[in-house]
Amino acid sequence: MNLPQNDDKNLWVSWDDYHRLIERLALKVYESNWKFDKILCLARGGLRVGDQLARIYDVPLAILATSSYREAEGTVRGDLDIAQFITITRGELEGRVLLVDDLVDSGVTLERVGRHLKERFPKVTDVRSAVLWHKACSKVAPDYAVDFLPTNPWIHQPFEEYDTLRPHNLSAWIKRGT
């Protein structure tokens, strides 16, 4: 599929590019020599990133649902909601945690989740953050990022096409792809 041209306002990302970015993020963390016990991904944007990193590192994956982009098909930021509970398959959230999301935009989510972890998870001894994209407008910097975006473009991620797909459209959708 041909994507539109990238410019200062829009960054279009293919599935292949997306997966390469995750691999590059995994390498950045590895080359830092920082060891962590668990990955905590922020759903929804960090789910795919967290899943792939947990597979690469073979560590437990925890999930914390957060949401601020809800209006206008996920393009308008609202108040940040943080779920009360964290889901994890093995053990509890403790020790050194790699906090993963797809991007840091304003920085509000990373900052608030950091406070949330300190207040509610005292067994967490160290947290570092890892994202694919770090926008210049962010008031916080992640510990690890693959790309710094000085012009703060809107990032068009490959899975966004599912934001408008509904079950009653699946038949036509599948036929379109054949």
Side-chain angles (χ1 to χ4, degrees):
M1 174 185 356
N2 291 330
L3 297 174
Q5 187 69 34
N6 291 330
D7 57 32
D8 286 348
K9 294 184 179 184
N10 292 282
L11 175 63
W12 299 88
V13 182
S14 71
W15 278 112
D16 286 342
D17 292 339
Y18 183 77
H19 293 295
R20 297 300 82 76
L21 286 164
I22 296 171
E23 292 162 359
R24 288 176 52 204
L25 182 60
L27 185 59
K28 273 189 173 264
V29 174
Y30 175 77
E31 288 175 342
S32 78
N33 290 317
W34 184 64
K35 306 295 183 219
F36 54 92
D37 307 304
K38 294 177 173 74
I39 292 174
L40 173 62
C41 70
L42 301 181
R44 292 189 318 180
L47 276 172
R48 289 171 179 87
V49 181
D51 176 57
Q52 284 185 238
L53 291 177
R55 291 170 187 270
I56 291 168
Y57 279 96
D58 192 27
V59 298
L61 176 64
I63 302 167
L64 176 62
T66 61
S67 178
S68 61
Y69 285 93
R70 288 179 292 282
E71 306 300 322
E73 297 177 1
T75 62
V76 176
R77 185 181 10 224
D79 292 332
L80 177 66
D81 295 325
I82 299 175
Q84 183 176 356
F85 301 103
I86 290 176
T87 300
I88 188 167
T89 55
R90 285 187 269 161
E92 60 184 287
L93 194 66
E94 62 186 353
R96 294 175 311 274
V97 174
L98 182 64
L99 177 61
V100 174
D101 205 352
D102 54 349
L103 64 103
V104 60
D105 189 348
S106 67
V108 169
T109 301
L110 277 185
E111 183 178 66
R112 292 254 325 266
V113 168
R115 284 197 322 253
H116 178 81
L117 293 174
K118 284 180 184 173
E119 293 167 3
R120 298 192 180 192
F121 296 90
K123 291 183 180 179
V124 172
T125 58
D126 192 11
V127 177
R128 292 193 188 176
S129 56
V131 299
L132 303 177
W133 300 283
H134 172 198
K135 290 187 179 184
C137 61
S138 176
K139 63 182 184 177
V140 299
D143 296 292
Y144 308 99
V146 178
D147 285 337
F148 178 75
L149 304 173
T151 63
N152 306 307
W154 183 261
I155 303 167
H156 301 272
Q157 298 191 49
F159 48 81
E160 288 177 358
E161 61 188 358
Y162 295 106
D163 288 342
T164 56
L165 177 63
R166 298 297 173 258
H168 66 277
N169 300 113
L170 282 171
S171 180
W173 179 269
I174 291 168
K175 287 177 185 172
R176 184 191 80 173
T178 58

